[in-house]
Each structure stands twice: as structure tokens, then as C-alpha cells.
Amino acid sequence: MGRGLAWMVTLSCLAGVLTSAGEAPADGGWSAARLRAATDLDAAPAPDTTRLAGGPSPVTRAAAWTGARGVSRAVGRIFYSQRGQDFSCTGVAVRSANRSTVLTAGHCVNAGPGGYARDWVFVPGYHDGRRPYGTWRATRLAAPAAWVREGRTQDDVGFAVVAPRRGHRLTDVVGSLPIAFSAPRGAYVWAVGYPAAAPNAGRRALYCRGTVRPDPYRTGSQGLACSMTQGASGGPWLTMGRDGRPGAVYAVTSFTYRGMGGVVWAPYLGGTARALYAAVQRR
């Protein structure tokens, strides 16, 4: 098609896999040394989705997140194994009936096309090796069937359901953010993630903000001017209320185009994402 996709792509109906295999260590099997060695994969209030262009000055060079504490608690790093290698992504605890659901990119749960990840854990609020709210192990991973079979870019969305920890469910501990499915396009968003490349090396959450743009290649994805790199995949794009509090998850970081530096792209969270979200609540 005359263009290259970086991050995940170089490597609808529903699909999911149960990954639980009995009791795991408190750290999910991920020691501090293993967390440091994980690489990037090369390849609230009611939702407020009416805030379009016209927000504060854009931030395109990723900066440390110092905003709402609710975001700092709900967003975290994901660690998992794929093809015998350890990787990291970003995810967010979302409002859900099971109080245990994490939203991320599809390639952070499934190779697309290919198998599901192993040893998948979520570390909310991760900061410089610290795990202030513990390590949460996935019992279920899910991605759209079109992603699992074909790695179709517009379906690069995934969910994980995590096991209770010490008798508590995830969102009872860290809170959650709602998802704005089928939201108006062209929103002004705050994108949060843990880029694994230097100099940040995944140590802390960074953010960019600005107005999203349509994909010139007509995939239906939306782009944001932002310097974040691999490891930020799966990080939420948030709308914000006029009071400065987080509104809803508008999209999640998915890919970049080679030759189009400084822009990250996200699939539209429409009917397929909504159906997948509903399915992981039922099971």
C-alpha cells in the first residue's frame, strides 16, 4: 500500500482466550529485574466528548504527566511475553461490571495475526520501578477476530480481565475511567503512555495533548501530534471536563507511520470495540 506501519504492524466478531493457570506469586512472576529488561514491541464523571478543537496550547513533545491523580492511578504499564521475549505496553483500568477490566491496544494482548500473550500483568501507577497498587495478573485476554486473524489496523484494540488481588478487585483499588464509544471525531485529547525508548525508558507516565486529525490513508484511525514512542501503545487518549477532571477514554495509542514522524495513531472505538467490551463483561 506504499506505506509502512511501525510498532505493532511490522511483526467485527470476537475472539478471546483464558490465560489463568492457578495461583501466581504476588508480583505475577515479574521480578524488578525482569520489569527493567522488558522491551518495547517493535512492530470518574460522566463522559464529556463534546470538547473539540479549541483547548489549551498543544503539547507535542511528550512531558511528564502531572495532571489528575485519578489518571495516575488508573493508567499503568503492561508486561507480557510473546514468542519467548518480554515486552511492555500501556493500559488503563476502565469502568466495567466486573470491576476488573483493562483497555489497551490489540497488539498488547495478541500478536495479530497470531497467538495471545503469556504472563500478562498490569501495574497501575507504575513509577520508576515502584508498584504502588500492586501487580494484577490477567485471567482473560480478548481482541477482535479481525485483529487475531489479519492484524487489521482499525481493529487494534484489546481488553484484559485481571484476577482479584488480596480479595480486592482492580477498580475498587485504583478507580476507573469510562470509555466513550462512537464519540464525535476531531476531539481535543490528552494522550498518556509509558514510552519505553530512551530517555524515559518506561520509568514514568508521559503525555501529549492536542486536536486529533483524520488518517490520510482512510483507515478510519485518528492521529495526534506527539513524540511518544514504543511502549506507549495501548495508552489512553482522554477527553477532559471543563473542571480539569478526566472525562472518558476516547481512543488508545496504536501505531505510527514510517516517514511520518511525530504523529501517533489510534483506531476509532466504534461498534466492534463496544461489542468486545460487552463480551468480556459477560464471561
Side-chain angles (χ1 to χ4, degrees):
M1 298 174 65
R3 64 185 188 274
L5 303 181
W7 300 11
M8 82 297 172
V9 178
T10 52
L11 289 183
S12 93
C13 47
L14 310 173
V17 64
L18 186 69
T19 59
S20 177
E23 193 67 27
D27 64 0
W30 287 82
S31 65
R34 189 179 177 192
L35 292 182
R36 287 194 300 270
T39 185
D40 53 273
L41 178 60
D42 192 7
D48 176 2
T49 60
T50 61
R51 186 170 191 167
L52 304 183
S57 299
V59 173
T60 61
R61 185 177 180 83
W65 174 260
T66 57
R69 187 165 179 263
V71 174
S72 302
R73 292 170 61 99
V75 177
R77 288 190 80 181
I78 290 167
F79 298 92
Y80 63 97
S81 297
Q82 191 76 266
R83 303 188 187 102
Q85 187 173 354
D86 292 341
F87 298 106
S88 70
C89 277
T90 303
V92 56
V94 292
R95 190 172 297 169
S96 57
N98 59 24
R99 309 197 308 278
S100 302
T101 298
V102 178
L103 169 64
T104 187
H107 68 272
C108 298
V109 300
N110 180 279
Y116 278 86
R118 303 287 182 184
D119 299 333
W120 196 103
V121 299
F122 177 58
V123 185
Y126 179 95
H127 185 90
D128 204 16
R130 295 190 292 276
R131 313 182 205 189
Y133 309 108
T135 301
W136 300 77
R137 181 175 56 92
T139 60
R140 189 178 307 138
L141 302 175
W147 174 259
V148 175
R149 291 194 306 259
E150 307 164 27
R152 196 168 69 175
T153 305
Q154 56 264 46
D155 290 308
D156 185 25
V157 60
F159 289 96
V161 177
V162 297
R165 185 174 183 272
R166 297 178 179 173
H168 299 286
R169 297 192 184 190
L170 173 66
T171 64
D172 294 337
V173 175
V174 302
S176 63
L177 298 173
I179 305 174
F181 294 110
S182 302
R185 291 178 179 269
Y188 193 98
V189 301
W190 281 249
V192 184
Y194 284 87
N200 188 58
R203 291 192 301 270
R204 62 190 306 182
L206 304 184
Y207 84 102
C208 296
R209 71 181 179 216
T211 302
V212 301
R213 64 181 74 174
D215 185 352
Y217 297 110
R218 302 180 184 275
T219 66
S221 299
Q222 299 184 93
L224 176 68
C226 182
S227 66
M228 282 197 282
T229 58
Q230 298 97 326
S233 289
W237 296 15
L238 306 170
T239 59
M240 292 286 182
R242 289 175 174 81
D243 57 1
R245 295 183 180 181
V249 180
Y250 178 84
V252 293
T253 300
S254 172
F255 66 95
T256 62
Y257 284 119
R258 291 198 182 94
M260 197 186 296
V263 182
V264 295
W265 298 88
Y268 185 67
L269 297 182
T272 296
R274 184 193 294 272
L276 186 65
Y277 169 78
V280 299
Q281 305 309 299
R282 289 195 300 267
R283 297 178 184 177

